Amino acid sequence: MSEKVMVTSVPFHRAAVGEEEAQAVSEVIRSGWMTMGPKTFEFEREFAKYVGASHAIAVSTGTAALHLALEAAGVGPGDEVLLPTTTFTATAEAVTYLGARPVLVDIDPATMNLDPEDAARRVTPKTKAVIPVHLGGQPCHMDEIAELAGANNLRIVEDAAHALPSEYRGQRIGRISEFTCFSFYATKTLTTGEGGMITTENPAAADRIRLMRLHGIERDAWKRYRSDGSWRYEVLEAGFKYNLTDFQSAMGLVQLRKCDKMREAREKIAQRYSEAFASLEELVIPEVIPDRRTSWHLYILRLRQDRLSLDRDAFIRSLNEKGIGCSVHFIPLHLQPYYQRVLGYKAGDLPNAERQYNACLSLPIFPDMKDEEIEYVIRSVRDTVRKSRILRTDVASSPIA
Ligand SMILES: Cc1ncc(COP(=O)(O)O)c(C=O)c1O
């Protein structure tokens, strides 16, 4: 019989990488090829197959993926791009790289993703594109977003940094819109340490992205130092240095093969959390929408603040004191100094996002979480709720409404 381990702390994240990844990376290092090359192209082919996309282009970060996709979509100075305020700054920052203006949109309280109706209200003649962000892996309302884009001639660039593998109406995220951008940052569901991928259905855009990720020099420039390559190259554009290395790609290939299994593991943890918390009226568990599958990159719990004496920050502090790592996804961009100073946003502008922000926290969820760790998180959350519960019989309000 296996012995029960006494758990007294759980990190927010532990990467699911091991010997297999180390072996694959070592092989590339021993091969002597240190930058982008055959492994990266293999990773691109396998990734495209996995999500069902026509083209996949590997890049150095998810932020670079967004930058290149927006560039290929023709976003430029004076354009406006719609995106949710509840996202990481990279989503909006990439828009600013091109001299365009991020237009922050409020969120749908149920999914915490971009609200298509609020987006529609913010369309102007300058609006060029929309970036739906699948927060925590929960797919956005893609049909409504496609309808909005169609009616207003907008390009769609999905921010799928959290959405590998997620599905919307039976289709993997990565094959639905013209452009989808993934991140392979250290905490993501597939990691190469740092890295990213763009999938697209547009062959001309795929060529443009390949060109721009490596200095704007033509196709075979990556092998100009190989014996079968040529030293001569032509610079066609002022591009960027955004390529992924072969050792990162070797790691990505191993991770890709484990992707379904890792998702299953996260789903089981999410189910255990939700079963344990569903009966607690003080908590709101993440919604599972029947025609969608989330990657469960994040497990976002929300607090009914009228039923608890602790606010979100104090609730997190209580879990931290028990050794549990938590996070918050995300501080809405319109509350950040840069977006307030440069774009003129202020507190109160996007009320749904603010309400959810004040109520939400993300719990640890990673594939090799041990049984005891899951139980410890559940016990600690229950214990914090029990100690801070406001006993009332007359409350019916919810932070979701
Ligand atoms: C929603 C979202 N978009 C974009 C990014 C940027 O990805 P990267 O860190 O790979 O540049 C992140 C990364 O953390 C993210 O969470």
Side-chain angles (χ1 to χ4, degrees):
M1 235 176 76
S2 70
E3 235 179 272
K4 276 243 168 188
V5 189
M6 174 77 168
V7 170
T8 53
S9 69
V10 182
F12 179 65
H13 179 74
R14 198 161 55 222
V17 290
E19 248 336 283
E20 233 189 312
E21 284 83 355
Q23 186 69 31
V25 172
S26 308
E27 276 168 26
V28 173
I29 293 170
R30 285 194 200 99
S31 81
W33 191 255
M34 294 294 133
T35 180
M36 181 171 78
K39 273 286 166 206
T40 303
F41 305 134
E42 185 186 343
F43 184 35
E44 291 177 341
R45 284 192 301 276
E46 292 302 315
F47 193 91
K49 225 186 287 169
Y50 182 71
V51 298
S54 304
H55 308 273
I57 304 110
V59 290
S60 51
T61 63
T63 310
L66 287 163
H67 185 186
L68 290 175
L70 290 164
E71 201 272 344
V75 171
D79 290 336
E80 294 179 356
V81 177
L82 301 165
L83 57 102
T85 188
T86 302
T87 186
F88 186 55
T89 187
T91 317
E93 180 190 307
V95 173
T96 68
Y97 293 170
L98 294 156
R101 182 188 173 90
V103 173
L104 305 179
V105 176
D106 211 348
I107 58 169
D108 150 42
T111 59
M112 291 179 70
N113 285 333
L114 178 133
D115 172 5
E117 284 179 20
D118 191 57
R121 284 192 286 274
R122 295 175 196 273
V123 171
T124 75
K126 292 182 183 167
T127 312
K128 179 86 181 197
V130 55
I131 312 181
V133 181
H134 309 294
L135 187 76
Q138 175 75 272
C140 291
H141 301 305
M142 290 311 298
D143 284 354
E144 289 82 349
I145 290 165
E147 211 172 290
L148 172 79
N152 296 282
N153 199 22
L154 310 181
R155 313 294 284 269
I156 302 176
V157 176
E158 291 179 47
D159 182 336
H162 300 180
L164 185 77
S166 291
E167 283 178 25
Y168 177 78
R169 303 205 161 144
Q171 301 217 67
R172 278 252 161 94
I173 297 296
R175 60 165 297 166
I176 296 171
S177 305
E178 190 181 5
F179 299 100
T180 309
C181 300
F182 295 90
S183 163
F184 307 142
Y185 177 67
T187 58
K188 297 300 194 288
T189 53
L190 180 160
T191 185
T192 58
E194 300 280 0
M197 189 77 78
I198 303 148
T199 56
T200 178
E201 299 307 303
N202 176 339
D207 285 346
R208 173 80 186 173
I209 293 166
R210 283 198 186 94
L211 179 73
M212 296 304 278
R213 79 164 155 192
L214 197 62
H215 299 298
I217 46 187
E218 92 295 351
R219 230 184 147 75
D220 281 343
W222 66 272
K223 58 177 181 185
R224 64 193 184 282
Y225 294 112
R226 256 170 62 149
S227 54
D228 60 343
S230 163
W231 57 266
R232 192 184 292 281
Y233 56 86
E234 273 191 314
V235 179
L236 304 177
E237 296 286 349
F240 307 96
K241 185 70 197 291
Y242 278 166
N243 54 310
L244 194 70
T245 66
D246 263 17
F247 41 86
Q248 289 171 305
S249 297
M251 183 167 168
L253 277 161
V254 175
Q255 289 262 295
L256 192 62
R257 287 196 288 274
K258 304 199 291 199
C259 232
D260 289 330
K261 276 222 153 64
M262 292 196 289
R263 184 197 167 276
E264 272 170 39
R266 288 191 301 274
E267 184 171 55
K268 286 203 178 108
I269 299 163
Q271 282 166 348
R272 282 177 65 182
Y273 281 164
S274 288
E275 275 163 27
F277 303 146
S279 60
L280 298 176
E281 295 192 341
E282 296 79 6
L283 303 178
V284 179
I285 59 175
E287 190 167 332
V288 176
I289 304 175
D291 62 356
R292 301 178 203 184
R293 265 161 83 92
T294 164
S295 65
W296 289 114
H297 169 52
L298 300 175
Y299 186 93
I300 300 179
L301 193 63
R302 280 174 281 175
L303 309 177
R304 288 184 195 266
Q305 287 159 312
D306 51 355
R307 302 201 174 201
L308 289 165
S309 61
L310 295 181
D311 65 9
R312 189 273 317 279
D313 291 3
F315 200 95
I316 288 182
R317 269 198 305 278
S318 158
L319 292 177
N320 289 162
E321 278 159 16
K322 296 175 196 293
I324 294 172
C326 298
S327 193
V328 172
H329 296 84
F330 286 98
I331 306 167
L333 294 182
H334 74 279
L335 301 182
Q336 295 286 8
Y338 171 79
Y339 296 97
Q340 296 196 342
R341 189 179 76 244
V342 175
L343 300 177
Y345 287 103
K346 57 184 187 322
D349 282 350
L350 299 149
N352 286 338
E354 279 174 51
R355 223 170 288 134
Q356 301 316 315
Y357 162 61
N358 288 325
C360 77
L361 67 143
S362 302
L363 294 180
I365 183 166
F366 47 87
D368 67 353
M369 238 178 129
K370 298 182 185 73
D371 250 14
E372 298 79 13
E373 291 179 315
I374 302 167
E375 289 305 321
Y376 184 67
V377 173
I378 290 173
R379 257 200 331 275
S380 303
V381 169
R382 284 177 162 279
D383 187 49
T384 303
V385 168
R386 196 168 37 79
K387 288 184 179 145
S388 58
R389 171 175 283 153
I390 298 173
L391 287 173
R392 287 168 61 181
T393 49
D394 58 336
V395 264
S397 63
S398 134
I400 300 301

